[in-house]
Every structure is written in structure tokens, then in C-alpha cells.
Amino acid sequence: MSIPNDSKLSAQPSRRVSRRDFLKTSAAALGMPAIIPASALGLGGTTPPSERINFGIIGFGPRASSLVPLFLQETDLQARAVSDCQPDRREAAKALVDGTYGNKDFAMIPDFRELLARPDIDAVYIAAGNRWHGLGSIYAMRAGKDVYAEKPVSLSIGEGRAVVETAERFGAIYQGGHQRRSIDSCRFVADVVQRGMIGKVKRVILRCWAGGTIKEIKPCPVPEGFDYDLWLGGTPWHPFSWERVKGWRYFWDTGGGMYMDMNCHWTDLLAFCLGRDDTSPVEYQPISSEFAADVASETPLTCEVNARYADGVEVLIQSKGTFQERLFRIEGDEGWIEFWDDNGTVKAQPESIVRYRAITTRSYTEAGGHIRNFLDGIKLRRPTIDHPLAAHRATVTMHVSNLCVRLGRPLRWDPVKERFHNDPEADRMIARALRPPWTA
């Protein structure tokens, strides 16, 4: 597998030519008629092509199949191409987009680097699994694209820092996929906390459901058309098996378990509520962890870590129970407030707090506002609600919690230097070596 020229991926992005100017110039040069379709002019409620954000999709699995229809509802966005290592997923994306637009213009591209090289792509949505959220974002921003990346936004602390620095260097607009920041129920919780309606925050409970296991791995030939080498990306090589491909989140090389996969939403929402996008907890104490015996998977079934911010606010981060039992709860010295993710319900003590609520109830599935915030950020060249540093810092909290579980001992973290206190063993786990030829 070859890698594009560094000059192609790492050069500063050139100034984008106005699509409106391009269309005008092209029409004059080609002698195009003055009468053109209303859709091309933005009449009848449509957005003219010159004002549309041309959009590419990298990875079309279950998450993308849920979110892409929301992207397609935005009239100032035009989906142009999809890249995925698996041909059936590329075809599924094409069927969805072509069916929405009523044409056959949507392109299928096996290698995402070819998609990034296209000059007609302005922005990309990355949903290709944890191993690609950070690294794919780095390559996309180097290619001059704006990025909406799924969570967890990095596979390691070091990779997340590289995302932040790349966005700064190339002036990219970046949106982390922590969509709860854009959901009215969660914004109400943040408003209550920031107004001091539950008093001084003392303790927080973040809970996702218990993890799963992969009992055994059965290596088999790589299916025809499946680019497994590209699927692996910078992660270590293992013989192909559907168990690793479908259960990637339960292996340390490609994921961080359910504990990481869901709780990064909660640590992000917590930072949003507390106004702490620029920091993370400083102490982490493992309470319990349960690993399944005689299985191929590596991540915990259940675990609990107690983290503490520098000002003493305690954060209990759990993975246990059922899907319906996930919880986000903030406790103050004058009351508490909690958000139930399944249906967007907010409960509080004193109960009078909820009566102040004048917004609708929406669940985590309503990501349209987060997408709209991203598109507006692109148009106005302004930071998104889940900008790179915010997304990174929230994910760092979970990376450190996971390392705490893996090492089985307390950790002390310096959120300014992004290093552990006098702990060379933990420091060595901040970054991961990438399999050649991939680099961050």
C-alpha cells in the first residue's frame, strides 16, 4: 500500500476559489444559455450550487447510516462521494444518497486518500471506527478539508493532541461527534449547573452500560474487494477475521471497550456543563474492574474509576448495568440534576428546577443541531461547539481512566503538560506507534 506524497497531504491548503465565481466564469467561457434551472439559482427554497458545501463520507457503517440522512436534510450541503474498505458499504451509501437526490452522481471511492485528493470536496464526515477518527481527521485537514469526526475522536492521547495541532496549523473547522452538546435537554442541564441552581458542584456520576466479549477468533481469507490493509490503518497487523472486524471496539489495538466508547460522551458533556473544555481531572483511582476469562477480547466487562478535578470535584466513571441504565448526574451542595439519555428526560432536586424548563425533550438520536453547527462553522469560519480542544480534552479523561484500569493502579495527570506525574510507564502509553507507512 503506497502513501501519497507528503507534499500532497502536508502542504498548506490553498485558498478556496469561490464556487460562485467559478460557475460564472465557466458559463461565460462555454457560452452557456442565460436560462438555467431554478435549482441552480437557489429558487423554490433550494440552495444554489455556489453556496453548497461539497461533502465526502469516510466510512459507512451503522453509525454513518444513521447520521448521513441527517446531513442530507441540509439544503446547503451536497454529498459527493463515499470511501469505505468494504464494497457493500460503498454501495449502500450510494443507494441512500442517489435515492435522496434522484440521480446517480454520487461517487464510490475505495481509498479515502483519493477522496481527499478531490478538489470538489470541502468537508468530510469520518465514521470509520476508532482507529480512523483521529488519524483520518489529520489526513483530511492536511488536505485542506473541514472535518466532522465521530467519537472517540482519537485512539490515544498523543493522537488527540496531534488533531488539535493540525486543526490549528491548517485553519480547519472541526466538529467532534459529541452531539449531546447540541441537544436541548443537555443544554438545559448545563444552564442549570452554570446558573448555580444546584449550588456548588461536588460530585458527578457518569455511567454507561456493561461491555461485551468476543469468545474466539476464527481467521479466514480476506473477502474479495475488502481492503483489509487499509481497514487496519496504523494499528498492528493481525490475521483477518470477522470477529476482529465486527468486534473491533473490544480489542486494545483498535478500541477502548464500551467504557471508552460511550463515556467519552459523558466526559464531554460534563466539561460543557462545568465550563472546563480546557482541562481534565488530575487524579484517577481505580475502584473495580471485571474482565471475562477465556475469551479473545481484551477490554473490561465492567469497571469503575473515581477521578478528581484540581478543585476537588469528584467524577465517578462507571461501566455497568444495562443500556437503559446509563446515566449523567451532577450533584451540588444545594441539589442535583440528571439526564436520562434514552428519552431525554431531565430530573432534578429541588423539583422546581425542572419547571423552569421551556425547551423540548429530545434524545441522543437528534444530531441535526450538531450538524447544523458544523456547517455554519464552515460558512462563517468560526469554531464549532465541540471544537478540537474541547473534544480532545474530554477524550483524554477517558483515555487516562482506561489506562488506570489497564494498569490497575492510581494515576496522577497534568492537564497542562499532558503528562503523568513521575510515571514513565504510563507516559509510554500516551502515544501509540503507527504501522508503516502511516504517520500522524
Side-chain angles (χ1 to χ4, degrees), residues 111-438:
D111 192 322
F112 79 94
R113 293 167 293 186
E114 295 176 18
L115 184 150
L116 294 180
R118 286 181 54 154
D120 64 336
I121 299 292
D122 302 311
V124 293
Y125 169 51
I126 300 176
N130 296 7
R131 67 202 175 281
W132 276 117
H133 295 165
L135 190 59
S137 296
I138 292 167
Y139 275 75
M141 291 186 289
R142 287 177 184 170
K145 315 303 181 186
D146 296 317
V147 174
Y148 184 121
E150 272 302 336
K151 58 78 199 170
V153 299
S154 62
L155 197 57
S156 70
I157 296 169
E159 185 180 81
R161 171 48 55 185
V163 168
V164 174
E165 293 174 354
T166 304
E168 291 175 351
R169 178 184 175 192
F170 291 95
I173 300 301
Y174 174 97
Q175 180 80 299
H178 303 119
Q179 76 273 9
R180 284 160 182 78
R181 286 183 177 231
S182 299
I183 294 173
D184 46 21
S185 300
C186 297
R187 293 177 72 85
F188 172 71
V189 173
D191 188 55
V192 166
V193 173
Q194 292 166 12
R195 286 175 181 267
M197 297 176 73
I198 60 170
K200 185 178 180 180
V201 174
K202 295 292 188 181
R203 183 170 180 262
V204 180
I205 300 174
L206 313 178
R207 182 195 307 148
C208 77
W209 58 100
T213 61
I214 305 297
K215 291 185 178 180
E216 61 179 328
I217 293 174
K218 303 173 184 176
C220 63
V222 178
E224 184 177 356
F226 192 136
D227 190 338
Y228 179 56
D229 193 53
L230 185 59
W231 185 92
L232 285 170
T235 65
W237 187 87
H238 295 277
F240 179 89
S241 70
W242 283 113
E243 290 80 16
R244 279 194 179 274
V245 169
K246 294 181 178 180
W248 52 261
R249 65 172 42 85
Y250 298 119
F251 296 91
W252 292 124
D253 285 346
T254 49
M258 192 56 66
Y259 186 59
M260 178 80 189
D261 226 47
M262 175 61 200
N263 274 325
C264 64
H265 273 303
W266 289 151
T267 53
D268 180 81
L269 181 56
L270 175 61
F272 182 62
C273 289
L274 300 184
R276 300 185 182 186
D277 283 344
D278 60 345
T279 191
S280 308
V282 297
E283 294 182 359
Y284 297 74
Q285 173 73 46
I287 298 174
S288 65
S289 61
E290 176 191 6
F291 290 81
D294 301 320
V295 296
S297 51
E298 301 161 337
T299 57
L301 293 173
T302 65
C303 58
E304 291 184 273
V305 170
N306 195 65
R308 187 183 65 80
Y309 279 99
D311 64 353
V313 174
E314 293 192 358
V315 186
L316 181 62
I317 310 173
Q318 304 174 321
S319 174
K320 66 178 184 178
T322 66
F323 179 78
Q324 288 74 23
E325 292 177 286
R326 62 197 189 280
L327 175 66
F328 177 88
R329 177 184 171 103
I330 299 181
E331 299 173 352
D333 57 7
E334 297 178 16
W336 54 263
I337 188 165
E338 60 186 32
F339 169 71
W340 288 84
D341 198 44
D342 217 26
N343 55 18
T345 298
V346 175
K347 299 178 182 180
Q349 190 64 246
E351 294 181 1
S352 58
I353 289 174
V354 180
R355 292 205 248 347
Y356 288 101
R357 189 178 187 196
I359 54 180
T360 59
T361 300
R362 295 178 183 171
S363 76
Y364 68 97
T365 61
E366 300 290 337
H370 209 54
I371 291 169
R372 186 66 256 166
N373 177 262
F374 173 56
L375 300 182
D376 289 342
I378 291 174
K379 288 188 165 186
L380 299 173
R381 307 313 297 172
R382 70 183 182 192
T384 62
I385 193 170
D386 197 30
H387 54 83
L389 183 60
H392 167 59
R393 292 289 200 183
T395 308
V396 163
T397 301
M398 285 313 304
H399 280 312
V400 178
S401 295
N402 237 342
L403 291 179
C404 188
V405 171
R406 291 182 68 180
L407 292 170
R409 58 180 174 79
L411 294 173
R412 295 179 62 228
W413 176 250
D414 184 334
V416 177
K417 296 179 180 179
E418 293 197 344
R419 287 289 183 272
F420 292 96
H421 286 280
N422 301 318
D423 197 329
E425 181 184 19
D427 275 341
R428 286 193 293 271
M429 302 174 79
I430 287 174
R432 301 188 185 206
L434 292 175
R435 189 173 63 97
W438 299 100

